Amino acid sequence: MSQQFEINAEIRNELGKGVARRMRRADNIPAVVYGAKQDPQSLTLSHKEIFYTLENEAAYSQILDLNIAGKIEKVVLKDLQRHPFKPKITHIDFLRVSATDKITMNVPLHFIGEDSAVGIKSGGILTKLMTEVEIRCLPADLPEFIELDINALELDHALHLYDLQLPAGVELTTQLDEN
């Protein structure tokens, strides 16, 4: 984890569709944080702060610090809802993490060597069927991304999930079949 993100939030006591619409007009986002055997809590976030934080790819697959009225909680981004055509975020769900419980997350794949791959230099085209994988690990072991080296990939060859080099403590959630 190379970068640490802190998101400021305020406790929200008013609930409902009308309240959420007023918040969005005031450039705020309704949010909720739940998990870790604690009660859910409704929050209000600044749209501008969240929008610029989420421009960084690492914010989607990393432990975030959620500052709720001065109290820091460790969370991951669990769900994000966007407006259909405006560049607006309409709602966010955060999941509290516990250092002792494994979490399941989607982590992006970074392809290394696309410019120098043997198959691409021979006139081939790289087709990426997956750009992220679902993994399970403890929060301390959560990688920002998983690198996949394709330098030696030749024409008409493919890489499979069992070819991934996963960090220690990280496992794929899908069943692997080498056949």
Side-chain angles (χ1 to χ4, degrees):
M1 294 191 296
S2 60
Q3 188 173 1
Q4 189 62 31
F5 298 98
E6 183 173 326
I7 298 171
N8 296 310
E10 299 173 12
I11 296 172
R12 177 171 51 111
N13 295 320
E14 297 176 328
L15 305 174
K17 184 173 19 176
V19 173
R21 286 179 178 168
R22 284 192 296 275
M23 285 176 50
R24 290 182 190 112
R25 275 194 299 268
D27 209 26
N28 290 320
I29 304 169
V32 66
V33 61
Y34 53 85
K37 299 177 182 143
Q38 296 179 25
D39 292 334
Q41 189 171 29
S42 298
L43 305 171
T44 301
L45 308 170
S46 166
H47 187 274
K48 184 176 182 180
E49 178 185 358
I50 291 296
F51 190 77
Y52 290 115
T53 299
L54 294 179
E55 283 186 344
N56 191 329
E57 177 189 43
Y60 293 92
S61 61
Q62 192 171 347
I63 306 296
L64 309 171
D65 288 336
L66 187 62
N67 184 354
I68 305 172
K71 181 183 172 195
I72 303 290
E73 293 195 32
K74 299 290 186 185
V75 298
V76 292
L77 184 66
K78 196 61 177 175
D79 190 32
L80 177 71
Q81 296 172 5
R82 296 181 185 269
H83 191 277
F85 59 89
K86 294 180 183 176
K88 292 280 188 180
I89 298 167
T90 58
H91 192 272
I92 296 181
D93 287 3
F94 293 106
L95 176 68
R96 290 183 189 103
V97 295
S98 169
T100 58
D101 295 332
K102 288 189 174 186
I103 57 173
T104 302
M105 292 286 297
N106 287 331
V107 177
L109 293 173
H110 285 189
F111 296 91
I112 307 299
E114 287 184 55
D115 298 335
S116 59
V118 176
I120 293 175
K121 282 186 173 181
S122 300
I125 297 174
L126 178 66
T127 303
K128 301 174 187 175
L129 298 179
M130 297 180 78
T131 57
E132 62 183 19
V133 292
E134 188 176 63
I135 61 168
R136 184 179 303 115
C137 64
L138 291 173
D141 298 331
L142 184 65
E144 187 176 317
F145 56 85
I146 296 175
E147 288 186 345
L148 187 58
D149 188 11
I150 61 169
N151 274 320
L153 193 62
E154 297 180 10
L155 280 174
D156 298 327
H157 286 83
L159 294 175
H160 303 281
L161 287 176
Y162 56 81
D163 294 325
L164 289 177
Q165 299 297 319
L166 297 174
V170 177
E171 60 188 34
L172 291 173
T173 59
T174 57
Q175 293 288 357
L176 298 180
D177 183 17
E178 294 189 24
N179 296 327

